[in-house]
Amino acid sequence: MGRYHGRSTTVLKPRTTQEVSEIMKWCNKRRIGVVPQGGNTGLVGGSVPVDNEIILSLSNLNKVRSFDPVSGILVAEAGCILQSLTDYVAPHNHIMPIDLGAKGSCQIGGNVATNAGGLRLLRYGSLHGTVLGLEVVLPDGTILDQLTTLRKDNTGYDLKQLFIGAEGTLGVITGVSILTPPAPQASNNVILALPSFDHVLPLYQTVKRQLSEILSAFEFIDRTAYDLAVKHGQGRALSEEEVDGAECFVLVETSGGRREHDEEKLADLLELLITADKPLVNTGVLSQSPAQFSSLWALREGVTEAVSKEGKAYKYDISVPLSSFKDVVDGTREHLRSKGLLHDKAVKYVLGYGHVGDGNLHLNIVADAYLPEIQDALEPYIYEVVALHRGSISAEHGIGAMKTHALPYSKSATSIALMRKIKAVFDPHGIMNPGKVLELM
Amino acid sequence: MGRYHGRSTTVLKPRTTQEVSEIMKWCNKRRIGVVPQGGNTGLVGGSVPVDNEIILSLSNLNKVRSFDPVSGILVAEAGCILQSLTDYVAPHNHIMPIDLGAKGSCQIGGNVATNAGGLRLLRYGSLHGTVLGLEVVLPDGTILDQLTTLRKDNTGYDLKQLFIGAEGTLGVITGVSILTPPAPQASNNVILALPSFDHVLPLYQTVKRQLSEILSAFEFIDRTAYDLAVKHGQGRALSEEEVDGAECFVLVETSGGRREHDEEKLADLLELLITADKPLVNTGVLSQSPAQFSSLWALREGVTEAVSKEGKAYKYDISVPLSSFKDVVDGTREHLRSKGLLHDKAVKYVLGYGHVGDGNLHLNIVADAYLPEIQDALEPYIYEVVALHRGSISAEHGIGAMKTHALPYSKSATSIALMRKIKAVFDPHGIMNPGKVLELM
């Protein structure tokens, strides 16, 4: 997003866990702040120094330590790039349990530190479930070796969980043990045009019931997002007349063990949807080839790029109840209109898309330029809306440096006080990624 | 097991979270120990007082607070019995993500506090992934409300994870928000007789590849366990001649969205196994009716009962690499033989069964009576074997009061020191379930 520019002059690139340990010891003694950095693909400034801290790049810790093709358990160093790991396990017929747009440059250590969600969460669950063990260098240089390859281990507090999503504020993740699922033999997708947002939830229920265990994505795109994606050349799956009268779109993906079974289930679903007395969808297009499959995904994944071509984006990544997705988007648009900010020289579009299955809405406000009055109109407005719904102000992007002030909208004073105590246990001198997640006191 | 008998004279049965809070405040001020108790079905003495603590029974906190049939998210009070929750979500076509033998009396709060594993872990993952939120009363009476119903929430440290598996030593779980998966439309199972243990791992790989997302259990039973189960009338699926020459057995279960697809996959698997040049199995029997389906499970689940009818059991619930299951069982038997303890008046059987998919071996030593010399021969022997394999001394049963002394075999000194610091953050006066998980200092 180009909003964060670090001021650090020193970047260290250790090659071993032992070297990380020595760096941390040295910094801890001298009370020097350290910012662990993976692929630097985060969206909330989590891996950017705020006050001349040392940058600790994990890029050179990039070896796979082991892979067991029977259990599917992979042990990799933190600096391994997600795509490389995907390529590594592919010949063994396994896939990584996470997949995200930044896969070509993000690193597994960063994925774990930020508890990355992404496109496969609906199917394979969160990293809190799939990460089996971690190796972490604590701020004082101690190496915490919990790099177990056990699926089950009930021997005391599950300390590794604290580092998942701590954004490098409790220690430096140097190694990850993760369960990789068997690769599906077939993937199919279909795009559905819906006459009304009110049909999304009944549709989700129907799709879950019909596709059951082969459902691997259920992505929502509102009309504004769809039109922008198409305008900027991101996929063009539906004809003008098929799109006519559609208020929103849903992309459904299946992944399963046998192509003919999956196709039969998907065809039956479409049949059921189209022939219903009161159809939930206007139309549906099933991908017929790998090229079409990619083209449908390009539509969904291309929204980000379309938005960046269109103007300056304020991006909110929130969790709210599924039923309120549209109200939140429309409400934000009306709020901006009431402030006189909805016009060509201010906010051009307000749009929403995201993972319905996870309750995760990406709310984008596309403006002609970043303006203080837009910022002031959006915050705390959006955070208050989220808090009203008991939602999350950051579903998957994290807190970083950008949202520390907003943490109380999602976490109680009791929770934040406990987080500070935990931080003090691991990092009494406050040298680990200072000013991230928790505001400096 | 009848090994633990509490000495507490006071049992309190609060009806609300607020009452739990007041009890904790009162006890905290007076430094009175409190043992939270769910269904009291644990196997390691975790819910039994060791020194006249007050028992805090959660049985009266037994209401379902909400269920959303679209997302499948259930919010229930800690005292709800697992089976009741299963029954509650069934009409909505959902199931609980955990299932265990004690489901008729164990409570969801206890399940979470002990991070219960059970029979569905292979398919639905651990509670660290499926529990979305918790309400916990801290030792000083503060109510920590993290009872979110969000699948994604990256706003700081995931504190609830600490309580999952803490066995009530950090606070009292009063409410649980949990993701329930859609109910499979069809379940099938098959029992396979294997000529050699060496075939188990190749079989597991083949089965995973063939059944993919519909595989829901892959359970291992060694010959001794099988024979005992049959002797005590637990299922009788295979004929004498089918069993002839079998060194061990595997029970495979599928759960899927469409019966005919699942049956086709399972039939093709059997065909492949039986007609192979070098068959991995001697024989396989596919259940043909719900009664047969239950009968195959009875064989696996009946091992526990058979063991208890046969004598006094020393039970170890360990995680070790799949490939070493047999070595661990055989090694233990030989070790006991070398100590002169393998005969009718001492140890009668050493047997193993468990969840291959999870690397979880249930190692049972069946004796004529509990004898100190058997205990001395088994410990620390077994813990040392586990440590050698970098395994877990307690895969799913927990530490409780029984295994605190053995914790160092699975956790490093660094880990245990951090656990003590975490304990001090939440429970500075040490009143929460004292002497459990961590030894008293």
PDB file of all heavy atoms in Angstrom, chain A residues 1-23:
ATOM      1  N   MET A   1       0.820  -1.204   0.000  1.00  0.00           N
ATOM      2  CA  MET A   1       0.000   0.000   0.000  1.00  0.00           C
ATOM      3  C   MET A   1       0.864   1.269   0.000  1.00  0.00           C
ATOM      4  O   MET A   1       0.354   2.364  -0.176  1.00  0.00           O
ATOM      5  CB  MET A   1      -0.891   0.025   1.236  1.00  0.00           C
ATOM      6  CG  MET A   1      -1.879  -1.139   1.259  1.00  0.00           C
ATOM      7  SD  MET A   1      -2.759  -1.205   2.825  1.00  0.00           S
ATOM      8  CE  MET A   1      -3.937   0.118   2.587  1.00  0.00           C
ATOM      9  N   GLY A   2       2.129   1.075   0.247  1.00  0.00           N
ATOM     10  CA  GLY A   2       3.027   2.222   0.192  1.00  0.00           C
ATOM     11  C   GLY A   2       2.852   3.209   1.331  1.00  0.00           C
ATOM     12  O   GLY A   2       3.344   4.328   1.287  1.00  0.00           O
ATOM     13  N   ARG A   3       2.127   2.789   2.373  1.00  0.00           N
ATOM     14  CA  ARG A   3       1.878   3.738   3.451  1.00  0.00           C
ATOM     15  C   ARG A   3       2.978   3.733   4.502  1.00  0.00           C
ATOM     16  O   ARG A   3       3.144   4.692   5.252  1.00  0.00           O
ATOM     17  CB  ARG A   3       0.575   3.389   4.152  1.00  0.00           C
ATOM     18  CG  ARG A   3      -0.614   3.877   3.371  1.00  0.00           C
ATOM     19  CD  ARG A   3      -1.644   4.443   4.326  1.00  0.00           C
ATOM     20  NE  ARG A   3      -2.923   3.834   4.057  1.00  0.00           N
ATOM     21  CZ  ARG A   3      -3.964   3.946   4.873  1.00  0.00           C
ATOM     22  NH1 ARG A   3      -3.842   4.568   6.023  1.00  0.00           N
ATOM     23  NH2 ARG A   3      -5.093   3.401   4.570  1.00  0.00           N
ATOM     24  N   TYR A   4       3.698   2.586   4.603  1.00  0.00           N
ATOM     25  CA  TYR A   4       4.698   2.475   5.658  1.00  0.00           C
ATOM     26  C   TYR A   4       6.098   2.452   5.084  1.00  0.00           C
ATOM     27  O   TYR A   4       6.398   1.680   4.188  1.00  0.00           O
ATOM     28  CB  TYR A   4       4.459   1.204   6.482  1.00  0.00           C
ATOM     29  CG  TYR A   4       3.307   1.411   7.405  1.00  0.00           C
ATOM     30  CD1 TYR A   4       2.009   1.177   6.982  1.00  0.00           C
ATOM     31  CD2 TYR A   4       3.515   1.933   8.685  1.00  0.00           C
ATOM     32  CE1 TYR A   4       0.935   1.433   7.807  1.00  0.00           C
ATOM     33  CE2 TYR A   4       2.442   2.184   9.518  1.00  0.00           C
ATOM     34  CZ  TYR A   4       1.152   1.928   9.076  1.00  0.00           C
ATOM     35  OH  TYR A   4       0.101   2.193   9.902  1.00  0.00           O
ATOM     36  N   HIS A   5       6.929   3.307   5.579  1.00  0.00           N
ATOM     37  CA  HIS A   5       8.324   3.321   5.153  1.00  0.00           C
ATOM     38  C   HIS A   5       9.196   3.252   6.395  1.00  0.00           C
ATOM     39  O   HIS A   5       9.144   4.133   7.244  1.00  0.00           O
ATOM     40  CB  HIS A   5       8.629   4.580   4.340  1.00  0.00           C
ATOM     41  CG  HIS A   5       7.769   4.677   3.117  1.00  0.00           C
ATOM     42  ND1 HIS A   5       8.031   3.960   1.964  1.00  0.00           N
ATOM     43  CD2 HIS A   5       6.623   5.364   2.875  1.00  0.00           C
ATOM     44  CE1 HIS A   5       7.083   4.219   1.070  1.00  0.00           C
ATOM     45  NE2 HIS A   5       6.221   5.062   1.605  1.00  0.00           N
ATOM     46  N   GLY A   6       9.980   2.189   6.482  1.00  0.00           N
ATOM     47  CA  GLY A   6      10.809   2.005   7.658  1.00  0.00           C
ATOM     48  C   GLY A   6      11.996   2.959   7.659  1.00  0.00           C
ATOM     49  O   GLY A   6      12.388   3.487   6.623  1.00  0.00           O
ATOM     50  N   ARG A   7      12.563   3.170   8.834  1.00  0.00           N
ATOM     51  CA  ARG A   7      13.703   4.067   8.931  1.00  0.00           C
ATOM     52  C   ARG A   7      14.945   3.352   9.429  1.00  0.00           C
ATOM     53  O   ARG A   7      15.891   3.956   9.878  1.00  0.00           O
ATOM     54  CB  ARG A   7      13.364   5.219   9.882  1.00  0.00           C
ATOM     55  CG  ARG A   7      12.433   6.247   9.264  1.00  0.00           C
ATOM     56  CD  ARG A   7      11.850   7.153  10.324  1.00  0.00           C
ATOM     57  NE  ARG A   7      11.002   6.394  11.232  1.00  0.00           N
ATOM     58  CZ  ARG A   7      10.293   6.954  12.217  1.00  0.00           C
ATOM     59  NH1 ARG A   7      10.344   8.241  12.442  1.00  0.00           N
ATOM     60  NH2 ARG A   7       9.540   6.204  12.989  1.00  0.00           N
ATOM     61  N   SER A   8      14.890   1.999   9.391  1.00  0.00           N
ATOM     62  CA  SER A   8      16.019   1.264   9.938  1.00  0.00           C
ATOM     63  C   SER A   8      17.200   1.309   8.979  1.00  0.00           C
ATOM     64  O   SER A   8      17.039   1.339   7.768  1.00  0.00           O
ATOM     65  CB  SER A   8      15.626  -0.194  10.165  1.00  0.00           C
ATOM     66  OG  SER A   8      16.732  -0.908  10.653  1.00  0.00           O
ATOM     67  N   THR A   9      18.414   1.345   9.548  1.00  0.00           N
ATOM     68  CA  THR A   9      19.606   1.352   8.708  1.00  0.00           C
ATOM     69  C   THR A   9      20.279  -0.014   8.700  1.00  0.00           C
ATOM     70  O   THR A   9      21.165  -0.265   7.914  1.00  0.00           O
ATOM     71  CB  THR A   9      20.619   2.384   9.229  1.00  0.00           C
ATOM     72  OG1 THR A   9      20.809   2.169  10.634  1.00  0.00           O
ATOM     73  CG2 THR A   9      20.124   3.799   8.992  1.00  0.00           C
ATOM     74  N   THR A  10      19.851  -0.908   9.584  1.00  0.00           N
ATOM     75  CA  THR A  10      20.536  -2.187   9.711  1.00  0.00           C
ATOM     76  C   THR A  10      19.591  -3.353   9.428  1.00  0.00           C
ATOM     77  O   THR A  10      18.540  -3.459  10.043  1.00  0.00           O
ATOM     78  CB  THR A  10      21.083  -2.361  11.145  1.00  0.00           C
ATOM     79  OG1 THR A  10      21.803  -1.189  11.490  1.00  0.00           O
ATOM     80  CG2 THR A  10      21.979  -3.574  11.235  1.00  0.00           C
ATOM     81  N   VAL A  11      19.999  -4.192   8.490  1.00  0.00           N
ATOM     82  CA  VAL A  11      19.248  -5.418   8.230  1.00  0.00           C
ATOM     83  C   VAL A  11      20.191  -6.591   8.442  1.00  0.00           C
ATOM     84  O   VAL A  11      21.258  -6.649   7.825  1.00  0.00           O
ATOM     85  CB  VAL A  11      18.711  -5.468   6.780  1.00  0.00           C
ATOM     86  CG1 VAL A  11      17.930  -6.752   6.555  1.00  0.00           C
ATOM     87  CG2 VAL A  11      17.855  -4.261   6.476  1.00  0.00           C
ATOM     88  N   LEU A  12      19.813  -7.498   9.335  1.00  0.00           N
ATOM     89  CA  LEU A  12      20.640  -8.688   9.578  1.00  0.00           C
ATOM     90  C   LEU A  12      19.948  -9.889   8.949  1.00  0.00           C
ATOM     91  O   LEU A  12      18.728 -10.021   9.013  1.00  0.00           O
ATOM     92  CB  LEU A  12      20.830  -8.893  11.079  1.00  0.00           C
ATOM     93  CG  LEU A  12      21.559  -7.758  11.799  1.00  0.00           C
ATOM     94  CD1 LEU A  12      21.629  -8.038  13.295  1.00  0.00           C
ATOM     95  CD2 LEU A  12      22.953  -7.551  11.239  1.00  0.00           C
ATOM     96  N   LYS A  13      20.767 -10.760   8.350  1.00  0.00           N
ATOM     97  CA  LYS A  13      20.194 -11.932   7.687  1.00  0.00           C
ATOM     98  C   LYS A  13      20.850 -13.213   8.181  1.00  0.00           C
ATOM     99  O   LYS A  13      21.652 -13.824   7.476  1.00  0.00           O
ATOM    100  CB  LYS A  13      20.372 -11.815   6.167  1.00  0.00           C
ATOM    101  CG  LYS A  13      19.610 -10.659   5.549  1.00  0.00           C
ATOM    102  CD  LYS A  13      19.586 -10.796   4.033  1.00  0.00           C
ATOM    103  CE  LYS A  13      18.559  -9.850   3.444  1.00  0.00           C
ATOM    104  NZ  LYS A  13      18.343 -10.086   2.014  1.00  0.00           N
ATOM    105  N   PRO A  14      20.507 -13.630   9.389  1.00  0.00           N
ATOM    106  CA  PRO A  14      21.126 -14.841   9.943  1.00  0.00           C
ATOM    107  C   PRO A  14      20.804 -16.068   9.106  1.00  0.00           C
ATOM    108  O   PRO A  14      19.765 -16.122   8.445  1.00  0.00           O
ATOM    109  CB  PRO A  14      20.491 -14.947  11.333  1.00  0.00           C
ATOM    110  CG  PRO A  14      19.208 -14.194  11.217  1.00  0.00           C
ATOM    111  CD  PRO A  14      19.467 -13.079  10.251  1.00  0.00           C
ATOM    112  N   ARG A  15      21.720 -17.059   9.174  1.00  0.00           N
ATOM    113  CA  ARG A  15      21.544 -18.278   8.389  1.00  0.00           C
ATOM    114  C   ARG A  15      21.098 -19.469   9.234  1.00  0.00           C
ATOM    115  O   ARG A  15      20.723 -20.509   8.701  1.00  0.00           O
ATOM    116  CB  ARG A  15      22.862 -18.651   7.690  1.00  0.00           C
ATOM    117  CG  ARG A  15      23.320 -17.613   6.726  1.00  0.00           C
ATOM    118  CD  ARG A  15      24.479 -18.062   5.831  1.00  0.00           C
ATOM    119  NE  ARG A  15      24.577 -17.104   4.738  1.00  0.00           N
ATOM    120  CZ  ARG A  15      23.919 -17.192   3.589  1.00  0.00           C
ATOM    121  NH1 ARG A  15      23.152 -18.221   3.341  1.00  0.00           N
ATOM    122  NH2 ARG A  15      24.041 -16.257   2.662  1.00  0.00           N
ATOM    123  N   THR A  16      21.223 -19.324  10.544  1.00  0.00           N
ATOM    124  CA  THR A  16      20.859 -20.446  11.417  1.00  0.00           C
ATOM    125  C   THR A  16      20.097 -19.923  12.633  1.00  0.00           C
ATOM    126  O   THR A  16      20.160 -18.728  12.963  1.00  0.00           O
ATOM    127  CB  THR A  16      22.108 -21.174  11.951  1.00  0.00           C
ATOM    128  OG1 THR A  16      22.847 -20.250  12.778  1.00  0.00           O
ATOM    129  CG2 THR A  16      23.012 -21.663  10.819  1.00  0.00           C
ATOM    130  N   THR A  17      19.386 -20.847  13.275  1.00  0.00           N
ATOM    131  CA  THR A  17      18.675 -20.506  14.502  1.00  0.00           C
ATOM    132  C   THR A  17      19.662 -20.009  15.554  1.00  0.00           C
ATOM    133  O   THR A  17      19.378 -19.080  16.316  1.00  0.00           O
ATOM    134  CB  THR A  17      17.923 -21.751  15.014  1.00  0.00           C
ATOM    135  OG1 THR A  17      17.034 -22.194  13.990  1.00  0.00           O
ATOM    136  CG2 THR A  17      17.143 -21.439  16.270  1.00  0.00           C
ATOM    137  N   GLN A  18      20.848 -20.647  15.582  1.00  0.00           N
ATOM    138  CA  GLN A  18      21.862 -20.251  16.545  1.00  0.00           C
ATOM    139  C   GLN A  18      22.265 -18.789  16.329  1.00  0.00           C
ATOM    140  O   GLN A  18      22.426 -18.028  17.291  1.00  0.00           O
ATOM    141  CB  GLN A  18      23.077 -21.186  16.397  1.00  0.00           C
ATOM    142  CG  GLN A  18      24.028 -21.175  17.562  1.00  0.00           C
ATOM    143  CD  GLN A  18      23.326 -21.397  18.899  1.00  0.00           C
ATOM    144  OE1 GLN A  18      22.534 -22.320  19.053  1.00  0.00           O
ATOM    145  NE2 GLN A  18      23.579 -20.524  19.875  1.00  0.00           N
ATOM    146  N   GLU A  19      22.397 -18.388  15.082  1.00  0.00           N
ATOM    147  CA  GLU A  19      22.737 -16.988  14.800  1.00  0.00           C
ATOM    148  C   GLU A  19      21.623 -16.034  15.239  1.00  0.00           C
ATOM    149  O   GLU A  19      21.886 -14.951  15.767  1.00  0.00           O
ATOM    150  CB  GLU A  19      23.029 -16.799  13.297  1.00  0.00           C
ATOM    151  CG  GLU A  19      24.394 -17.350  12.873  1.00  0.00           C
ATOM    152  CD  GLU A  19      24.696 -17.166  11.379  1.00  0.00           C
ATOM    153  OE1 GLU A  19      23.966 -16.424  10.691  1.00  0.00           O
ATOM    154  OE2 GLU A  19      25.671 -17.787  10.914  1.00  0.00           O
ATOM    155  N   VAL A  20      20.387 -16.456  15.022  1.00  0.00           N
ATOM    156  CA  VAL A  20      19.266 -15.631  15.496  1.00  0.00           C
ATOM    157  C   VAL A  20      19.370 -15.466  17.002  1.00  0.00           C
ATOM    158  O   VAL A  20      19.207 -14.368  17.554  1.00  0.00           O
ATOM    159  CB  VAL A  20      17.902 -16.271  15.126  1.00  0.00           C
ATOM    160  CG1 VAL A  20      16.754 -15.475  15.731  1.00  0.00           C
ATOM    161  CG2 VAL A  20      17.739 -16.389  13.612  1.00  0.00           C
ATOM    162  N   SER A  21      19.683 -16.583  17.672  1.00  0.00           N
ATOM    163  CA  SER A  21      19.805 -16.558  19.134  1.00  0.00           C
ATOM    164  C   SER A  21      20.888 -15.568  19.572  1.00  0.00           C
ATOM    165  O   SER A  21      20.693 -14.788  20.516  1.00  0.00           O
ATOM    166  CB  SER A  21      20.106 -17.975  19.625  1.00  0.00           C
ATOM    167  OG  SER A  21      20.545 -17.944  20.957  1.00  0.00           O
ATOM    168  N   GLU A  22      22.017 -15.585  18.882  1.00  0.00           N
ATOM    169  CA  GLU A  22      23.099 -14.670  19.279  1.00  0.00           C
ATOM    170  C   GLU A  22      22.738 -13.207  19.042  1.00  0.00           C
ATOM    171  O   GLU A  22      23.049 -12.337  19.860  1.00  0.00           O
ATOM    172  CB  GLU A  22      24.393 -15.050  18.546  1.00  0.00           C
ATOM    173  CG  GLU A  22      25.080 -16.225  19.246  1.00  0.00           C
ATOM    174  CD  GLU A  22      25.994 -17.032  18.331  1.00  0.00           C
ATOM    175  OE1 GLU A  22      26.552 -16.440  17.387  1.00  0.00           O
ATOM    176  OE2 GLU A  22      26.123 -18.256  18.566  1.00  0.00           O
ATOM    177  N   ILE A  23      22.064 -12.954  17.931  1.00  0.00           N
ATOM    178  CA  ILE A  23      21.613 -11.578  17.658  1.00  0.00           C
ATOM    179  C   ILE A  23      20.670 -11.105  18.758  1.00  0.00           C
ATOM    180  O   ILE A  23      20.796  -9.993  19.285  1.00  0.00           O
ATOM    181  CB  ILE A  23      20.896 -11.507  16.283  1.00  0.00           C
ATOM    182  CG1 ILE A  23      21.914 -11.728  15.158  1.00  0.00           C
ATOM    183  CG2 ILE A  23      20.175 -10.177  16.117  1.00  0.00           C
ATOM    184  CD1 ILE A  23      21.276 -11.963  13.781  1.00  0.00           C
TER     185      ILE A  23
END
